[in-house]
Amino acid sequence: GQQLNQSPQSMFIQEGEDVSMNCTSSSIFNTWLWYKQDPGEGPVLLIALYKAGELTSNGRLTAQFGITRKDSFLNISASIPSDVGIYFCAGQLNRGSTLGRLYFGRGTQLTVWP
Amino acid sequence: DTAVSQTPKYLVTQMGNDKSIKCEQNLGHDTMYWYKQDSKKFLKIMFSYNNKELIINETVPNRFSPKSPDKAHLNLHINSLELGDSAVYFCASSQEGRNSLSAKNIQYFGAGTRLSVL
């Protein structure tokens, strides 16, 4: 299967700091997604990217679809305590037998100190 | 109204028992999934159904049997539970459509079922 490497594995930052995390793949994807999981809940979609080079923002979050289609990053600016959670990248091929299949990174655990 | 709902939220049972987890989505999606999240938070797909047809069947023990009575429901039955089955199981749904390139393929997840096998 596809291997997604997500880094860093964990981050401990102070409120107000900016955060950056990234994901790389051994294969290309047609879609990159970023999800956030709060404790006791399921992953919730933050940003979806559909074209190589695409840069998309959602409030304080910005994500980019790498030009090689093998990587993506997520930035969070001016972090706040409610940003705490696990952030997952996910790649999707959207083609044939892989219809709907999401390949997830191992997650970045974000802790924000007030 | 919850978009993807799973029941129960918690399930504690003994080894060897048979149990089921139910999932329902009210988003009108045509594809549903089951994922397993292990203790290290790794999310791995187990099954997916598109219009009640099995599409993805990862290498999971055949003790796990998904059943989709209609597009809005995908249940997971597990026979002869083992200690290693302890995990959080997530249901998800998306609209894949006939032309996968035109669909946005965003998957919406339920809140999860935490299964503990003693």
Side-chain angles (χ1 to χ4, degrees):
Chain A
Q2 311 290 348
Q3 298 285 331
L4 261 65
N5 297 308
Q6 184 173 350
S7 63
Q9 193 173 10
S10 60
M11 300 184 78
F12 298 83
I13 62 169
Q14 199 116 37
E15 185 176 357
E17 288 184 9
D18 297 343
V19 170
S20 187
M21 57 192 80
N22 69 81
C23 222
T24 58
S25 167
S26 55
S27 305
I28 62 172
F29 286 116
N30 293 335
T31 302
W32 279 95
L33 304 164
W34 286 92
Y35 284 86
K36 183 192 177 198
Q37 185 177 16
D38 290 329
E41 299 294 330
V44 173
L45 183 71
L46 298 173
I47 291 180
L49 302 157
Y50 299 103
K51 288 184 193 174
E54 180 181 352
L55 185 71
T56 297
S57 292
N58 177 7
R60 293 177 296 105
L61 277 60
T62 302
Q64 183 156 33
F65 191 143
I67 200 74
T68 65
R69 293 167 64 195
K70 291 185 178 181
D71 62 307
S72 177
F73 72 74
L74 174 71
N75 288 342
I76 306 173
S77 62
S79 57
I80 59 178
S82 62
D83 290 335
V84 165
I86 304 176
Y87 292 79
F88 291 99
C89 63
Q92 194 172 45
L93 282 170
N94 305 339
R95 183 185 306 149
S97 62
T98 66
L99 184 68
R101 185 189 294 262
L102 279 181
Y103 298 89
F104 280 90
R106 289 196 168 264
T108 296
Q109 173 72 62
L110 179 63
T111 302
V112 181
W113 301 103
Chain B
D1 286 342
T2 305
V4 181
S5 58
Q6 337 178 187
T7 54
K9 190 164 174 67
Y10 299 96
L11 186 53
V12 182
T13 187
Q14 296 219 320
M15 273 175 57
N17 283 350
D18 302 339
K19 290 292 178 186
S20 291
I21 308 172
K22 296 187 175 182
C23 181
E24 175 182 5
Q25 54 94 4
N26 62 6
L27 297 167
H29 288 164
D30 61 4
T31 306
M32 295 183 72
Y33 311 80
W34 277 109
Y35 287 85
K36 180 180 179 181
Q37 186 173 46
D38 61 23
S39 58
K40 295 186 178 177
K41 307 298 182 185
F42 183 50
L43 273 162
K44 192 166 188 295
I45 193 165
M46 300 172 69
F47 303 102
S48 82
Y49 271 74
N50 176 262
N51 283 315
K52 301 198 299 174
E53 180 186 348
L54 182 66
I55 299 297
I56 297 173
N57 184 355
E58 283 294 282
T59 311
V60 299
N62 55 17
R63 298 181 294 106
F64 290 77
S65 52
K67 283 192 172 50
S68 182
D70 54 59
K71 281 196 323 181
H73 295 85
L74 180 62
N75 303 323
L76 184 65
H77 188 75
I78 316 171
N79 288 330
S80 302
L81 279 155
E82 300 178 356
L83 293 176
D85 297 332
S86 296
V88 182
Y89 292 85
F90 287 101
C91 176
S93 74
S94 67
Q95 180 60 31
E96 296 301 315
R98 286 177 177 270
N99 181 355
S100 63
L101 293 179
S102 66
K104 291 299 187 184
N105 312 116
I106 293 172
Q107 291 185 22
Y108 295 86
F109 285 78
T113 296
R114 183 174 292 277
L115 172 65
S116 299
V117 182
L118 307 177

